[in-house]
Amino acid sequence: SPVVQITSLEFYTESTQSVNYEVWTREGSFKDFKGSYEGWTLIAEGSVEGRGLGRYTQIPDDTFTPVSIRGGGGEDGTRAFYITLDSKELIYKLGNGPDSDVDVHASSAELEVYEGEGVLTYPFPAVAEISYYRYPRQYLGTIHYDRLPCKPYSVFGHVMDLPCPDMPTSSPTPPQPTRNPVTPPPSTSPVTEPPMTPAPIIAGVTLSPIPPTMVPTLTPTISSVPSASPTTQSPTSSPIVPMRAYIVSIFRNAPERDMTSREIEKFLEITTEFLRRHTQSSMVIEGVEIWHQKLTLADAKEGSVTWEEEEEEE
């Protein structure tokens, strides 16, 4: 999937009092970077009033710095987030996987959210203090993101990384003219250069040019007489692709008998004329054949069998 931009987060707390929050992030997984803020970036910090039981609390947009997740997935398309409060008011959920960062517990068409770890103290405890880390744990909240951060989509299409490419201008911007044009002074004598490439010579067709002599020759040089018309191969006609077509015709309100030879002849004539008229020169009709098809109707009670005829032609 293409790049997405995370614009805000919501977390779950049952508190209705003001809580202090921080959101840290880094590209890639968090597994080898716990216990230290080195390599992490603080993208949100402030206080917000908790919304209480059964409702998520959103981090205000004006305190959240949007960050992007590269497209394509894998390690390059992964970003870790560390949401923390300075009080024991943040609530998360038990995970199901064998370890953190293994199982996906929520996903959309653009994102996959993996099970992480719960941290029992503030700030980041040292990684050696394993009693402060609980895993796997699931994030309870909402992720706000923009799946088309480069707009309009008709111009940029799918973008795999940010920043967005430069917007193409509708017309080129010419440089401003200088007040005084700068032109080189004219040379005292004109300088001409020979042509870079000589005229092409085709063996057996084009004669080599005769170099000019320094003085006129006593006898004129006779040029080759051009041919009356150029020799070109005539274009080939369009390739002919053989094709067999089947047309099923069903006659209604017709006598219950086979078609006579005259009727078959007339039917083939009309069908051929119809096909030629509607295909014009795009199709060459080799011929038309006709077959009869009969349907059998059986009465389950009476045990009798009747025949119905249909005309089928190709």
Side-chain angles (χ1 to χ4, degrees):
S1 62
V3 64
V4 297
Q5 187 173 49
I6 308 300
T7 57
S8 184
L9 295 173
E10 297 182 20
F11 59 88
Y12 185 52
T13 178
E14 294 183 352
S15 173
T16 56
Q17 305 298 319
S18 179
V19 294
N20 299 323
Y21 60 86
E22 293 179 9
V23 180
W24 297 78
T25 186
R26 66 172 297 120
E27 291 186 327
S29 175
F30 68 91
K31 294 284 287 186
D32 297 328
F33 303 95
K34 298 183 295 184
S36 172
Y37 287 110
E38 184 177 356
W40 292 81
T41 302
L42 181 65
I43 60 172
E45 181 182 21
S47 299
V48 67
E49 186 176 302
R51 299 188 65 195
L53 183 66
R55 297 191 295 179
Y56 292 140
T57 300
Q58 182 175 356
I59 297 174
D61 292 340
D62 58 354
T63 66
F64 192 95
T65 302
V67 292
S68 63
I69 302 178
R70 292 193 186 101
E75 184 67 19
D76 291 339
T78 299
R79 178 174 286 276
F81 292 88
Y82 174 44
I83 305 176
T84 182
L85 306 180
D86 63 359
S87 59
K88 298 180 180 180
E89 304 290 349
L90 185 63
I91 298 177
Y92 46 77
K93 183 181 178 181
L94 294 176
N96 300 316
D99 196 357
S100 60
D101 205 20
V102 173
D103 285 0
V104 175
H105 78 88
S107 64
S108 67
E110 295 79 22
L111 290 178
E112 290 181 338
V113 181
Y114 283 78
E115 293 180 337
E117 300 187 13
V119 184
L120 302 184
T121 187
Y122 174 88
F124 233 165
V127 68
E129 301 181 74
I130 60 175
S131 60
Y132 288 109
Y133 292 91
R134 297 287 187 269
Y135 56 85
R137 295 295 185 267
Q138 295 182 1
Y139 165 69
L140 289 179
T142 303
I143 301 175
H144 297 258
Y145 66 92
D146 188 347
R147 63 188 183 91
L148 296 174
C150 297
K151 300 177 177 62
Y153 176 78
S154 60
V155 173
F156 295 105
H158 287 307
V159 178
M160 302 305 289
D161 198 4
L162 295 182
C164 298
D166 294 333
M167 172 71 80
T169 58
S170 57
S171 58
T173 304
Q176 293 292 331
T178 57
R179 291 186 177 181
N180 297 318
V182 179
T183 57
S187 59
T188 57
S189 59
V191 179
T192 59
E193 295 181 355
M196 298 299 294
T197 56
I201 299 176
I202 304 175
V205 177
T206 305
L207 298 178
S208 301
I210 300 175
T213 58
M214 300 298 296
V215 295
T217 58
L218 297 177
T219 58
T221 303
I222 301 175
S223 302
S224 301
V225 179
S227 58
S229 59
T231 304
T232 58
Q233 297 180 350
S234 57
T236 60
S237 58
S238 302
I240 299 176
V241 179
M243 180 179 62
R244 177 181 293 271
Y246 294 90
I247 302 175
V248 178
S249 300
I250 299 177
F251 298 94
R252 303 185 184 279
N253 299 324
E256 296 184 0
R257 60 174 176 80
D258 294 342
M259 296 177 66
T260 64
S261 58
R262 174 58 181 165
E263 290 173 337
I264 293 176
E265 180 183 352
K266 194 63 178 178
F267 178 75
L268 293 178
E269 178 184 342
I270 294 174
T271 302
T272 303
E273 179 64 26
F274 173 81
L275 293 175
R276 287 175 176 167
R277 179 181 302 174
H278 289 277
T279 59
Q280 296 181 0
S281 61
S282 64
M283 181 182 295
V284 177
I285 301 174
E286 291 288 334
V288 180
E289 297 178 357
I290 185 169
W291 289 273
H292 298 275
Q293 178 179 334
K294 293 185 177 182
L295 300 180
T296 303
L297 301 179
D299 191 327
K301 293 182 178 181
E302 299 297 333
S304 60
V305 177
T306 59
W307 297 86
E308 287 193 359
E309 297 183 359
E310 292 185 356
E311 305 296 342
E312 178 182 335
E313 56 84 18
E314 176 194 337

